Amino acid sequence: MSDTSATFKAKSTIKSADLEHRHKINFNIARYDAVVPQGKHQFSDVHLARERAKNVKWRAIETLDQQLEEFEMNLTKRGGKVIYAENGEQALDEVLKICIEKNCKTIVKSKSMVTEEIHLNAFLEKNNIESVETDLGEYIQQLDGEAPYHIVTPAMHKSKEDVAKLFAEKLGTDPNLTPEELTLVARQLLREKYTEAQIGITGANFIISDIGGIAVTENEGNGRLSAAFPKTHIVIVGIEKVIPSMADLALFWPLLATYGTGQKITVYNTIMSGPRQRNEVDGPEEMYVILLDNGRTNILANPKQRESLYCIRCGACLNACPVYKNIGGHTYGATYSGPIGSVITPHLQGLDEYKHLSYASSLCGNCTEVCAVKINLHELLLENREEAVESGSSTFIEKAAWKGWRMAMMNRGMMNLGNGKIKNWFVNGVFKGWKKNRSDLHFSQKTFNEMWKQRLKK
Ligand code: SF4
């Protein structure tokens, strides 16, 4: 068993028994569940909208190279600079180069999972550059020294009392502040950082090929401030975020809002297609877009898994997953948690180390049911399991056990071997690992054949 797998199992055991954690998660997911149906009412046919979105993403991913070239050509025309990064190290090096050139000491950053993926904040800190998270949830997580817990709601596992306590400890505020008062404290502190920062870093929800722009969706306006206030704007975005046309946003913005937070449309939706132009009064003087691969082309090269690149990171599959709701986001030990994280992490970070995530699923299919772009998530999890076996990364014992199981299931004579007592002893006594978190299996005293014959005699 790999270290990551052992850690995952140990953390899962602790978290799934933590009732306070479960209460907080259920409380927050229940609020989400209450509003999503209202958001869906805006679509005359929500299934058709999801189907269309899937088709658009299919086209974008099938022509990814052309889409990215078109994006680059169009952004460059308006003065933007495009950098391709094959992996996280290259992306970090490029950010550092820009920081050194701009003599940057402070960065304001809006929420971006891709920057979590490459551990940007830790890297900047090592290089003596302050990087301040400006999304409130991310700011809370940064204050607490924790990674985001959820791809849309980073501090979902914290109650308002937890946040008040954290602010009191870290910022010396009154521990009884209300959520509104806490927000004002963060707002005050962050406003100063926008004016100090030399560079703003954002992610992007979409890369728009036909106009050479990126689209950022957020509810707090911090993304806009991070992009427009500092003189330099750096965007770091995964290459799979591409959509062919600005017109596609008419479909994707409402879908992302509804499936992400139950809104009809997110409060701030911004398209940025280059630095400030001559006739414009605000915006950064320079804009860089770092297009990150970091394992995505591994997924692209795999025709069955390619579909997972359609993901728009709405987080709906996390909220619907019975496993996520019990073990929480941090237990996965990966940037992307929940069903989509379990699908893509083994391909982004290595099948040997992360194949166990493919088993972190009951295969109930709820994730596929709720996916904004209809990704067949539970089938992809099965696919991962098959690939793990095919690539030889399953253990000898596992292989032997399944071989034996298959032989028995395919052979009526073997299935009839032994009575219920012997079977109970064998399964419950020999397979102790199976029983660790489960009650005993109780086999029928008679085999199916015996019962059938008895029935015919009557
Ligand atoms: S896989 Fe689907 S449901 Fe999950 S985050 Fe991506 S788009 Fe949303």
Side-chain angles (χ1 to χ4, degrees):
M1 193 191 297
S2 68
D3 287 352
T4 43
S5 172
T7 311
F8 174 77
K9 281 190 183 156
K11 284 188 177 172
S12 303
T13 308
I14 296 168
K15 270 292 172 223
S16 52
D18 181 343
L19 297 183
E20 193 188 331
H21 168 261
R22 197 180 303 178
H23 171 75
K24 286 174 192 167
I25 295 309
N26 285 345
F27 176 79
N28 285 320
I29 293 184
R31 284 173 33 166
Y32 166 86
D33 289 341
V35 290
V36 170
Q38 293 165 24
K40 283 183 186 168
H41 281 146
Q42 69 180 313
F43 300 96
S44 55
D45 185 340
V46 72
H47 295 292
L48 186 63
R50 291 163 68 205
E51 202 66 60
R52 284 199 174 139
K54 184 173 189 174
N55 287 341
V56 172
K57 285 302 288 186
W58 170 80
R59 185 156 72 90
I61 296 298
E62 291 299 311
T63 56
L64 188 58
D65 50 347
Q66 294 160 31
Q67 300 290 341
L68 292 176
E69 276 176 16
E70 192 184 346
F71 165 77
E72 180 181 6
M73 189 182 73
N74 288 325
L75 183 80
T76 310
K77 271 187 209 159
R78 291 177 57 85
K81 292 171 189 146
V82 175
I83 298 166
Y84 289 87
E86 218 171 281
N87 51 40
E89 292 76 53
Q90 280 185 14
L92 293 172
D93 285 348
E94 292 296 337
V95 172
L96 188 60
K97 264 192 232 162
I98 301 168
C99 288
I100 293 170
E101 197 187 305
K102 308 294 169 199
N103 197 19
C104 174
K105 298 277 172 278
T106 304
I107 286 176
V108 277
K109 201 180 143 285
S110 79
K111 184 180 164 328
S112 142
M113 290 309 290
V114 104
T115 57
E116 293 295 327
E117 182 184 324
I118 61 172
H119 307 293
L120 178 69
N121 282 350
F123 173 80
L124 291 171
E125 200 183 317
K126 249 193 238 156
N127 287 283
N128 301 318
I129 300 167
E130 183 191 28
S131 172
V132 185
E133 293 290 348
T134 59
D135 170 271
L136 184 58
E138 286 285 359
Y139 180 68
I140 291 167
Q141 289 305 90
Q142 191 179 33
L143 270 186
D144 209 4
E146 275 190 335
Y149 180 89
H150 185 283
I151 57 178
V152 174
T153 327
M156 185 192 246
H157 59 311
K158 289 188 167 78
S159 64
K160 57 184 191 305
E161 291 78 18
D162 293 335
V163 178
K165 195 168 154 236
L166 177 72
F167 272 46
E169 275 168 25
K170 304 283 178 180
L171 305 172
T173 52
D174 178 345
N176 299 314
L177 291 187
T178 62
E180 290 73 19
E181 289 166 333
L182 291 165
T183 308
L184 283 177
V185 171
R187 190 173 194 245
Q188 186 62 36
L189 289 166
L190 291 173
R191 288 271 150 154
E192 282 167 25
K193 293 292 174 189
Y194 291 119
T195 55
E196 266 174 39
Q198 294 81 23
I199 294 178
I201 296 184
T202 70
N205 296 90
F206 302 101
I207 300 168
I208 314 159
S209 306
D210 68 346
I211 58 159
I214 57 121
V216 175
T217 288
E218 36 134 7
N219 272 315
E220 297 169 19
N222 63 301
R224 274 187 189 177
L225 289 171
S226 301
F229 240 102
K231 286 189 173 172
T232 304
H233 176 202
I234 304 176
V235 182
I236 309 177
V237 57
I239 50 174
E240 82 285 9
K241 290 288 184 77
V242 79
I243 52 172
S245 164
M246 189 164 81
D248 297 323
L249 289 171
L251 181 59
F252 283 100
W253 271 344
L255 268 182
L256 181 57
T258 292
Y259 282 81
T261 50
Q263 290 164 283
K264 280 189 176 166
I265 196 81
T266 315
V267 179
Y268 298 96
N269 288 293
T270 314
I271 297 172
M272 289 167 261
S273 55
R276 183 195 308 182
Q277 307 292 297
R278 276 212 188 126
N279 55 348
E280 291 173 347
V281 291
D282 53 21
E285 289 170 9
E286 282 186 277
M287 178 178 174
Y288 297 85
V289 179
I290 301 179
L291 297 172
L292 181 71
D293 177 348
N294 212 24
R296 285 158 176 79
T297 44
N298 296 339
I299 303 179
L300 186 68
N302 182 329
K304 288 183 181 159
Q305 297 289 352
R306 193 175 291 170
E307 187 178 341
S308 61
L309 295 175
Y310 304 169
C311 175
I312 58 170
R313 305 277 188 265
C314 70
C317 58
L318 281 66
N319 300 335
C321 176
V323 175
Y324 183 90
K325 283 197 254 193
N326 274 290
I327 65 171
H330 289 149
T331 306
Y332 288 77
T335 305
Y336 304 102
S337 56
I340 185 63
S342 297
V343 169
I344 62 175
T345 306
H347 299 281
L348 297 179
Q349 289 180 249
L351 202 56
D352 278 350
E353 286 296 299
Y354 288 94
K355 78 176 169 96
H356 60 275
L357 293 183
S358 315
Y359 297 86
S361 167
S362 63
L363 297 180
C364 63
N366 215 14
C367 46
T368 302
E369 199 69 25
V370 301
C371 176
V373 286
K374 291 199 170 202
I375 300 173
N376 287 321
L377 288 157
H378 69 295
E379 286 180 19
L380 295 183
L381 287 170
L382 276 175
E383 201 54 50
N384 272 0
R385 294 182 192 183
E386 190 187 335
E387 282 175 28
V389 174
E390 294 293 322
S391 69
S393 61
S394 47
T395 61
F396 173 76
I397 294 179
E398 197 182 333
K399 276 190 216 159
W402 286 115
K403 213 171 177 181
W405 178 263
R406 185 173 184 271
M407 261 167 63
M409 289 297 113
M410 303 287 283
N411 186 313
R412 172 53 61 189
M414 281 182 85
M415 280 176 78
N416 289 349
L417 272 182
N419 59 23
K421 254 191 197 163
I422 296 174
K423 283 177 186 158
N424 286 342
W425 168 81
F426 184 70
V427 172
N428 297 321
V430 177
F431 294 107
K432 291 206 165 64
W434 163 268
K435 249 194 64 186
K436 210 169 148 203
N437 296 307
R438 297 174 178 91
S439 54
D440 280 0
L441 277 176
H442 292 292
F443 285 85
S444 158
Q445 285 308 310
K446 289 180 182 165
T447 65
F448 177 77
N449 274 177
E450 286 167 341
M451 287 192 274
W452 188 253
K453 278 178 194 159
Q454 272 178 0
R455 195 180 148 161
L456 287 179
K457 270 187 203 164
K458 278 181 194 169

